[in-house]
Amino acid sequence: MKFTEEHEWLDVDDEGIVTVGITAHAAEQLGDVVFVELPEVGTEVSKDDEIVVIESVKAASDILAPLDGEIVEVNDAIVDEPGKVNEDPEGDAWFFKMKVEDLSALDDYMDEKAYKDFIGD
Amino acid sequence: MAEDNLKSTVLNALHRELGARMVPFAGYDMPVQYGLGVLKEHLHCRDHAGLFDVSHMGQVILRGPDVALALESLVPVDVAGLAEGRQRYAFFTNDAGGIEDDLMIANRGDHLFVVVNAACKDADLARMKTVLEPRGVSVEMLEDRALLALQGPEAEAVLAALAPDVAEMRFMDVATVMIEGVEVWVSRSGYTGEDGFEISVPETAAEALARRLLADARVEFIGLGARDSLRLEGGLCLYGHDIDTGTTPVEARLTWAIQKVRRAGGAREGGFPGAERILAELETGAARARVGLSPEGRAPMREGVPLFAAETGGDPVGQITSGGFGPSVNAPVAMGYVPTDLSATGTRLWGEVRGKRLPVKVAALPFLPAGFKR
């Protein structure tokens, strides 16, 4: 598992597909999530594109594409029930899966220990 | 501790002890939410009872001969006709007919008790001193009293357990009540759309009263986050957002608060700042109106979102002044200003969110029926 400074987690499976969600720390800071807008499957994205909109009771925020690649699956369950993002942010409430050409780009991101240090946990 | 230059209420340490997340609000270090979070706090208040620290608001005593008539020179409201033991909503107006602040006025027998917004209280105090003192009215801002609001369908049962007489009070009644040997001033009012009470209590007794109320299993502390979504669902204006110095009471659809006696043809017609414009608008209507707005999708439309009459093209016809997610409605809710000819309930407009125009319908206010005990 890798972590970005934007509080995303990235999990790579055996086939090189990267699942992306937000961390429990981010979900807690956001407060109750009430709206999620996800990209369409098939969208080609570049690193740092704003591809997800997430709105909590407090404010709207964007989630950036962590890598170059193609969106291959999105989690419609969190669109229907945005509150899942608060309940299980690092599990069932993943946001999207992407196919990435260059997995070595993941090396730039933090491991769990570095992320915990980053958030001061 | 509170940040430098922020004021704090007497309950600041209690908020922190109970896990509040504190934010600056109107110059005060205030709780935006506690452990439950905004959504659950909101729903708890609608289902049971919520306790709010609103001690940042200004509590003012006005005393003197003809104090009611004197105050009428600042508000377009029937103060002289306000019976003892009753409270009424009002607003200070300016010469252009705009709203300087909204407030509550209570007739407590030998004086009027006024509650004003925290952000405006210094200006309100100055305004009242300037106009009222030359007319022989003393204006005293109380610095030694806290203000608690207990709101929700179980508020009556909770407070009546400590002070049985409050069960007899009706919406907008005010009374002096003893709770465990302490004199508190209670009004049956609030700003959530629910039945409930506001309780003015000496600062020295405020923490004990708050703890006593919180010890009741039906009560949760509620922060400013849920206070905002509660009042928004209740169709209630937030000063500085839904009403301000540039909005008139007629535009804001607050004409119910202007009694006949102060309108054209009334016994005490006019005589408040901006009367010319406000009385004219009461006769002929205003060009724009505050309305409820229900976004048709799930995306919240927040303050500042421009409103359009068509899905493409054209200039904005209005703007959202308050908006967010309504936990009890379980959908986004908003308020804003639109041209009067587009203000009928059901009118479809478009709000531009992140560059996209999304459909939104004009909706009746409040979004939920009020729970007041009339």
Side-chain angles (χ1 to χ4, degrees):
Chain A
M1 192 97 102
K2 290 286 192 175
F3 298 86
T4 74
E5 293 190 0
E6 307 292 325
H7 306 286
E8 292 152 282
W9 55 262
L10 291 72
D11 191 31
V12 193
D13 70 11
D14 297 343
E15 287 156 26
I17 301 294
V18 180
T19 303
V20 180
I22 63 167
T23 65
H25 172 77
E28 201 209 319
Q29 292 297 312
L30 281 169
D32 304 299
V33 174
V34 296
F35 174 76
V36 179
E37 188 174 82
L38 297 172
E40 286 185 25
V41 170
T43 309
E44 295 280 350
V45 300
S46 301
K47 183 174 183 296
D48 294 343
D49 283 356
E50 294 170 358
I51 56 170
V52 172
V53 175
I54 179 165
E55 297 223 22
S56 73
V57 286
K58 293 175 202 154
S61 26
D62 297 308
I63 289 180
L64 309 180
L67 303 161
D68 296 340
E70 180 191 347
I71 304 296
V72 294
E73 195 178 344
V74 297
N75 188 1
D76 288 322
I78 62 170
V79 175
D80 297 336
E81 284 184 67
K84 285 179 183 287
V85 176
N86 297 103
E87 288 161 20
D88 194 10
E90 298 186 12
D92 285 346
W94 56 275
F95 278 61
F96 55 85
K97 298 185 183 195
M98 58 191 298
K99 191 162 78 186
V100 176
E101 294 302 322
D102 179 15
L103 282 172
S104 72
L106 276 168
D107 297 340
D108 295 342
Y109 289 121
M110 293 175 274
D111 62 16
E112 185 166 3
K113 181 179 181 310
Y115 179 69
K116 284 194 165 166
D117 289 343
F118 174 69
I119 61 173
D121 193 11
Chain B
M1 293 304 294
E3 280 176 48
D4 291 343
N5 73 27
L6 280 182
K7 290 181 273 189
S8 55
T9 74
V10 71
L11 299 181
N12 193 278
L14 180 61
H15 297 314
R16 289 166 182 277
E17 178 189 322
L18 297 178
R21 186 179 296 174
M22 307 297 286
V23 297
F25 180 82
Y28 281 80
D29 183 49
M30 296 296 288
V32 67
Q33 65 172 77
Y34 301 84
L36 276 184
V38 175
L39 208 66
K40 291 197 179 81
E41 288 172 27
H42 175 115
L43 295 171
H44 184 92
C45 184
R46 288 261 185 263
D47 290 341
H48 304 285
L51 182 67
F52 303 73
D53 178 14
V54 287
S55 304
H56 56 313
M57 298 181 82
Q59 304 183 58
V60 183
I61 285 188
L62 307 177
R63 208 184 281 271
D66 295 329
V67 57
L69 286 173
L71 185 57
E72 285 192 357
S73 68
L74 289 171
V75 300
V77 168
D78 177 9
V79 186
L82 181 63
E84 181 172 345
R86 294 288 294 164
Q87 173 176 280
R88 181 164 275 173
Y89 178 73
F91 23 80
F92 293 120
T93 50
N94 60 34
D95 290 338
I99 299 172
E100 292 285 316
D101 194 11
D102 61 345
L103 65 149
M104 287 289 186
I105 302 169
N107 179 347
R108 289 184 31 85
D110 64 351
H111 65 274
L112 296 179
F113 176 56
V114 168
V115 178
V116 299
N117 281 306
C120 304
K121 66 183 179 183
D122 294 340
D124 291 339
L125 186 67
R127 172 182 302 108
M128 288 189 282
K129 281 178 178 283
T130 302
V131 173
L132 304 181
E133 283 182 350
R135 298 181 62 159
V137 172
S138 69
V139 179
E140 182 193 1
M141 177 80 76
L142 302 178
E143 305 290 357
D144 59 354
R145 294 187 82 86
L147 192 63
L148 300 177
L150 183 68
Q151 301 279 294
E154 293 176 352
E156 178 189 288
V158 170
L159 194 59
L162 304 180
D165 291 351
V166 302
E168 304 305 315
M169 296 174 72
R170 297 271 155 184
F171 183 57
M172 291 295 212
D173 279 352
V174 296
T176 299
V177 171
M178 298 301 287
I179 296 181
E180 299 186 331
V182 177
E183 181 186 300
V184 300
W185 308 338
V186 177
S187 70
R188 191 150 201 168
S189 64
Y191 220 62
T192 58
E194 294 298 322
D195 180 27
F197 303 88
E198 291 196 349
I199 308 160
S200 172
V201 54
E203 280 193 341
T204 50
E207 185 179 330
L209 177 59
R211 285 187 190 276
R212 188 71 202 266
L213 292 168
L214 290 166
D216 190 309
R218 295 167 287 194
V219 179
E220 288 284 345
F221 236 149
I222 312 290
L224 290 176
R227 183 170 173 81
D228 193 51
S229 54
L230 288 159
R231 68 94 200 159
L232 176 57
E233 285 184 342
L236 300 167
C237 293
L238 179 61
Y239 189 78
H241 301 261
D242 307 303
I243 49 176
D244 59 27
T245 56
T247 53
T248 72
V250 180
E251 292 173 330
R253 292 198 166 165
L254 296 172
T255 54
W256 53 268
I258 306 177
Q259 288 76 24
K260 277 206 172 73
V261 70
R262 304 300 308 277
R263 300 187 183 202
R268 297 193 307 286
E269 167 185 337
F272 52 85
E276 195 177 341
R277 176 167 178 193
I278 292 169
L279 295 185
E281 283 189 353
L282 280 167
E283 296 294 316
T284 60
R288 58 178 187 152
R290 179 177 63 94
V291 294
L293 294 158
S294 293
E296 290 179 26
R298 287 191 65 95
M301 293 189 189
R302 298 181 192 274
E303 180 176 6
V305 164
L307 296 167
F308 294 85
E311 194 168 5
T312 55
D315 293 324
V317 295
Q319 185 167 302
I320 284 178
T321 51
S322 277
F325 183 76
S328 301
V329 178
N330 193 25
V333 291
M335 284 196 268
Y337 284 84
V338 299
T340 304
D341 60 352
L342 294 175
S343 67
T345 297
T347 304
R348 174 179 273 187
L349 301 167
W350 281 263
E352 193 168 280
V353 180
R354 293 179 281 274
K356 276 184 276 186
R357 289 195 194 174
L358 305 175
V360 54
K361 274 205 173 101
V362 175
L365 292 175
F367 290 98
L368 292 175
F372 306 142
K373 186 179 167 187
R374 297 199 189 264

